Amino acid sequence: MTDDLAELRAETDAALAACADLRAWDVVRVSVLGRNGRLTALLKELGKTPAEQRRERGAALNRLKDALAEAIESRRIALEAAELETRLAAERLDPSLPPRPMPGGLIHPISRTMEEMAAIFGAMGFEIAEGPDVETDWHNFSALNIPAHHPARDDQDTFYLTAPAGAPPPVLRTHTSPVQIRTMLERPLPLRVIVPGRTYRADHDATHSPMFHQCEGLVIDRDITLAHLKGCLIDFLRAFFAAPNLPVRFRASYFPFTEPSMEVDIGWDRKSGELGKGSDWLEILGSGMVHPRVLANVGIDPRAWQGFAFGMGIERVTMLKHGIPDLRPFYESDIRWLRHYGFNPLAPAMLHEGA
Ligand code: DAH
């Protein structure tokens, strides 16, 4: 190799070694192999070489070109690998790092209870159904076997809206039970639904709010019996209150839309408020076998299909489960109360935790 070629080789090697990143590398590459690069210039000058030396010089230049191209390429590979290493090191993820506390935003206890109910009943094959807050008199009362002037309407003295002339006034639904009617009219049988949602009654004191929440349940199938109702509700209550031996009592009662009807009580200690302890009973929900007349009202043959239904107050079970003493702060949006009783949105209700 002649001196000038050896010099180009040595200088290129040094320049490649000195470049710290791909941008510097590209400058070196262009300065050697580019259109105005040093090697390109030497190749262009080959024509001026005296004929007797041209062959040898040409061969030497070609060998140098191959060697330089290879050196440049291997430097590129090395630089790319180094850049990847640096990025991987900088972007390293530490899976043991605990989640940062949420700057704000917690799940309201009402929503949490609804999620837990969805998790527990979901595992039993229930779907969620919804209906409007503004109901027709028929869905809220008549179809549920509560005719006009029936004394059961007094319990649900409520908010009526202005009616179109001649029609019964629409009503803010007094319970989630009208969604039983809607679901039976809309969905194919058999069906299993729960209906968590808002309800309204003209009541306002320390334990009643004009707007509150209920969760309805409805199962319609062939050969459904009281045993299904009892098994389902006992399982639910024990899972919800995370108390595997929670005493549950079924007490005969009356609802116009079920026959027979039962109030469901759980065992607790009135003094300490502890659930599953002591010898007192606490009423938790209403339930019963769907009244044949209700089935007939939506065109279902009561001799072919039976079902059970239940309804419970969401605030009430939430207060019991979490030891919340007062109903009113549920709706006051007091950030201190929400921080105290709210739930981490990153830890949703899951059945395997006993909800
Ligand atoms: N709708 C009733 C109420 O608000 C609660 C209820 C009782 C619902 C018995 C039911 C049931 O589905 O079977 O007081």
Side-chain angles (χ1 to χ4, degrees), residues 144 146 155-156 174-178 180 199 201 212 214-218 229 254-258 260-263 285-290 308-313:
L144 288 163
I146 314 173
D155 297 344
Q156 304 189 0
T174 59
H175 49 181
T176 42
S177 305
Q180 286 191 32
T199 45
R201 288 184 203 177
F212 59 106
Q214 287 190 339
C215 184
E216 193 81 10
L218 176 68
L229 180 161
Y254 171 76
F255 298 102
F257 34 89
T258 46
S261 302
M262 289 178 303
E263 217 93 55
L285 57 92
S287 68
M289 301 303 292
V290 179
F308 67 83
F310 56 88
M312 69 188 121

